[in-house]
Amino acid sequence: MKSKFKIIFGVLIVFIIGVISGKYLIDPNVNSFLMSTVNAQDSNLISPTLANPDRDMYFPGTEDLKPDEMRITALGTGQPSVRPKQAAACFLVELGNGDKFLFDLGSGSHERIAAQKIPYDYIDKVFLSHLHVDHFGDLASFWLGGTVMNRLVPLRIWGPSGDTPDMGTKYSLEKMQEMYKWDVKTRSGFVDFRGGALEINEFQYEAVNKVIYEENGVVIKTFPAIHSLNGAVSFILEWNDMTFVYGGDTFPNKWYIEYAKGADFAIHESFLPATLLVTKQGFTPSEAVNVGTQAHTSPEQFGKVMSVVKPRMAVAYHFYNDFDTQPEVLQRIRKTYDGEVSLAIDYMVWNVTKEGIKTRMAAKDEDVWPSPAMRDKVSPSGVEGAPFTDFILSGRVPFPEVVQPIYDEINDKHGTNLKPD
Ligand SMILES: [Zn+2]
Ligand SMILES: [Zn+2]
């Protein structure tokens, strides 16, 4: 009797579930999600299974640059002491004609350059605003690291002179080559080392609005900056009737105000307010006003400069940009400037055309690999690599029983006939 009751009860439950489900599927209100999915497919609207063509984020390596478009990516925007969120000064400019330029290559910026998925051969032009480590501290890493990543063209660098030869870019980079002699010698003769060559172009720091680069429809000019010692500059890039200005570190100066005027895109330093240098960075009041308003440019001074320059987009960088500093920096800029402004942070991206400027953030991919060169390698034969010394040979434990099978595997797979040293 008990089991018969169970069966009747079970049938009743199934019946009730069936009635409720039926109502759910028939009721137009309850069923609106299902209907909208069907309509979306019918009318080719975006569905959750199709790519959204209008992304509000930039994914490096996935977006064609239009022929008339300039894309600028902030790869270092912080202060001299780098931190995970902000490397030191570095901006990448990409043009619709295929050209790419780096303006400064400060400490910590190399990893952000690598994350842009640009083959190393195609990022070989670097313009240095001055020789502070926060503006070229990752140059050696980019130069020699690039040879391992198969950059097969020389690295071309433009930088200012100083008052004496030993204060200029040429001297500094020649010494850098000497400093890395051991590194260079370990690679020469073993890898295609064409990317190990440096093309150093030093120009006069006093030059005003002078062309230092002119190729492929792109003109780059230099003008002086006022910062610490003679030998700091800023740059103007002109292409396709658009003007990009990169201000290196500077006190507000007459050349920036004159030659950046009316630029489409104008970058200028803006240091942290002196108040925050005291409370957050432990500066004394005297250090804070000296560094924050005399050696560098305060947000109020930045705004004053931009109120005269009137660019389509003003970009402030060179400060720790956080939830608690940004409101104060912006409020101080707004005392003196009411135009378009971006408070730059690493991975901020601007697409600039004559019609408009689109500002987004780039996606950060911690797992990204640096992109190898696209050109074919050449054999390094003909260049003599440093031979193993007796000391190295005396210390080697070769483990042939595990190494030989690795060679066999590679030879089998690739039709080679390689042998261990
Ligand atoms: Zn500096
Ligand atoms: Zn700096």
Side-chain angles (χ1 to χ4, degrees), residues 399-420:
F399 291 131
E401 70 279 17
V402 294
V403 173
Q404 189 57 52
I406 298 169
Y407 273 74
D408 294 344
E409 188 185 353
I410 291 290
N411 287 334
D412 278 354
K413 252 186 193 160
H414 300 285
T416 47
N417 185 29
L418 304 166
K419 295 184 177 71

Side-chain angles (χ1 to χ4, degrees), residues 200-213:
I200 305 169
N201 302 284
E202 183 176 291
F203 55 85
Q204 289 304 113
Y205 74 84
E206 316 97 308
V208 176
N209 206 31
K210 185 176 176 215
V211 174
I212 52 167
Y213 175 95

Side-chain angles (χ1 to χ4, degrees), residues 2 7 38 59-60 73 98 111 147 163 224 237 239 296 299 326 334 337 355 363 415:
K2 269 188 173 173
I7 291 166
V38 171
F59 293 82
T73 311
E111 65 159 69
T147 65
D163 270 340
L237 181 152
W239 170 76
H296 288 280
Q326 191 179 96
R334 286 300 182 217
Y337 173 63
E355 287 71 45

Side-chain angles (χ1 to χ4, degrees), residues 130 132 134-135 227-228 249 296 318:
H130 63 298
H132 269 155
D134 60 316
H135 291 256
H227 180 57
S228 302
D249 291 358
H296 288 280
H318 218 301

Side-chain angles (χ1 to χ4, degrees), residues 78-80 88-89 104 129-130 132-135 227 246 248-250 269 271 296 317-318:
Q79 288 183 200
D104 281 339
S129 68
H130 63 298
H132 269 155
V133 70
D134 60 316
H135 291 256
H227 180 57
Y246 176 68
D249 291 358
T250 190
E269 71 142 289
F271 223 68
H296 288 280
Y317 81 109
H318 218 301

